[in-house]
Amino acid sequence: MPTKPAPNLALPRRRGLTEEAARTAVDQACRMLRLPTVRAQFPDTADQAAAQQMSYSGFLAELLIAECDDRARRRSERRIRAAQFPREKSLRTFDFDANPNIDPALIHTLAKCDWVAKGQPVCLIGDSGTGKSHLLIALGTEAAMAGYRVKYTLATKLANELVEAPDELVLSKTIARYGRVDLLCIDELGYMQLDRRGAELLFQVLTEREEKNSVAIASNESFAGWTKTFTDPRLCAAIVDRLTFGAAIIETGTDSYRLAHARQALGR
């Protein structure tokens, strides 16, 4: 049985097109080639190129650079959405003056994401309101913008998801999914006690990632206090070891600047 020929999607080649016909052809070609930024910017860029007597190569470069930049921006936005951060936080909006315990130079060095490339951990330790979650989300956002796959989760949510896996196959897939991302951000570690099963499964996730992919955690407890979360001393020691080997450990202190700002707003 003869095969049906594929439809001809090529645009007709014509010489001596009018300006209107040329712009219509460019619009159609951009749709076919999936170049939305070139399509959107072509009319204004063409007018600007004519006014400035830009060379053909310079005009083409302007359009292609714009397309590449816009694609990079959209990819960053997709990675940030995929990370599932609970809110938007950036280093630009972090008030370093309000917390002198935090070294701005260290944070901006971490923002370059070399530690993510090397699979190293970051630990943010300090009381509530000292900027741990802000920095955790901001550093995770920087990693997503740099091209890394990032996932944010609360410690209790992760443990519950693992414990509630209906069978071993789903559990293995869940552990593998959390193991694959380049950076796993675990927030509020130490706020609530985990049962033994949840703690063991969290340990499996950390083991899956050890020295391969990075983990960043935020905790309101010092490492010595993690026995409240992980009640098995040996398991607790193993988890601390996984998270601190080669880690950047940032102590954000005990003075809540959120509380200080609230008091200042009330005039106290």
Side-chain angles (χ1 to χ4, degrees):
M1 183 175 180
T3 59
K4 185 177 180 180
N8 182 12
L9 299 179
L11 292 171
R13 293 188 179 182
R14 298 178 182 176
R15 297 183 180 275
L17 289 175
T18 65
E19 182 67 16
E20 182 180 356
R23 294 198 177 210
T24 299
V26 169
D27 184 273
Q28 292 176 347
C30 287
R31 290 175 186 273
M32 291 171 58
L33 296 171
R34 294 189 176 94
L35 300 171
T37 306
V38 172
R39 176 172 170 263
Q41 294 192 15
F42 172 78
D44 289 342
T45 305
D47 291 342
Q48 183 182 25
Q52 297 178 356
Q53 296 185 329
M54 191 181 297
S55 68
Y56 293 127
S57 58
F59 167 57
L60 179 60
E62 286 283 339
L63 287 173
L64 294 181
I65 289 170
E67 183 71 46
C68 291
D69 288 346
D70 203 40
R71 288 191 180 192
R73 178 187 58 79
R74 293 197 299 270
R75 284 194 297 269
S76 292
E77 290 174 350
R78 286 195 297 270
R79 286 191 295 267
I80 291 171
R81 286 195 299 271
Q84 296 184 315
F85 296 117
R87 51 200 171 274
E88 183 177 329
K89 295 291 182 182
S90 69
L91 295 182
R92 187 185 66 259
T93 60
F94 188 81
D95 188 355
F96 288 99
D97 292 333
N99 193 337
N101 294 296
I102 299 172
D103 180 6
L106 173 58
I107 299 301
H108 286 107
T109 297
L110 292 173
K112 297 176 182 178
C113 298
D114 290 343
W115 59 284
V116 181
K118 296 175 183 177
Q120 296 172 334
V122 165
C123 299
L124 295 151
I125 310 294
D127 283 3
S128 297
T130 56
K132 302 183 308 299
S133 292
H134 187 139
L135 289 174
L136 182 70
I137 294 170
L139 289 173
T141 300
E142 292 291 333
M145 292 172 62
Y148 295 103
R149 295 168 299 171
V150 181
K151 175 68 175 175
Y152 170 97
T153 185
L154 300 177
T156 51
K157 181 178 181 295
L158 173 56
N160 289 338
E161 184 178 351
L162 296 169
V163 169
E164 293 169 3
D167 54 50
E168 285 299 319
L169 178 60
V170 173
L171 176 60
S172 297
K173 288 182 177 179
T174 303
I175 291 173
R177 186 174 74 249
Y178 280 104
R180 280 194 300 269
V181 295
D182 301 308
L183 172 61
L184 177 61
C185 299
I186 305 177
D187 206 353
E188 297 187 2
L189 185 63
Y191 276 75
M192 295 180 65
Q193 178 179 319
L194 301 178
D195 62 30
R196 183 179 180 85
R197 178 62 173 161
E200 289 174 345
L201 292 174
L202 179 57
F203 177 70
Q204 284 190 40
V205 170
L206 298 177
T207 300
E208 180 79 12
R209 303 183 59 80
E210 187 179 14
E211 296 188 41
K212 295 185 296 183
N213 296 317
S214 290
V215 176
I217 64 101
S219 176
N220 68 325
E221 285 282 355
S222 64
F223 297 120
W226 281 18
T227 50
K228 300 173 187 175
T229 301
F230 308 103
T231 54
D232 183 324
R234 287 184 297 180
L235 181 60
C236 180
I239 288 174
V240 171
D241 180 68
R242 292 287 189 279
L243 289 173
T244 56
F245 181 73
I249 300 174
I250 301 160
E251 296 183 0
T252 59
T254 58
D255 297 329
S256 171
Y257 67 74
R258 278 205 306 259
L259 179 58
H261 283 186
R263 286 174 174 169
Q264 186 177 15
L266 292 171
R268 295 181 182 177

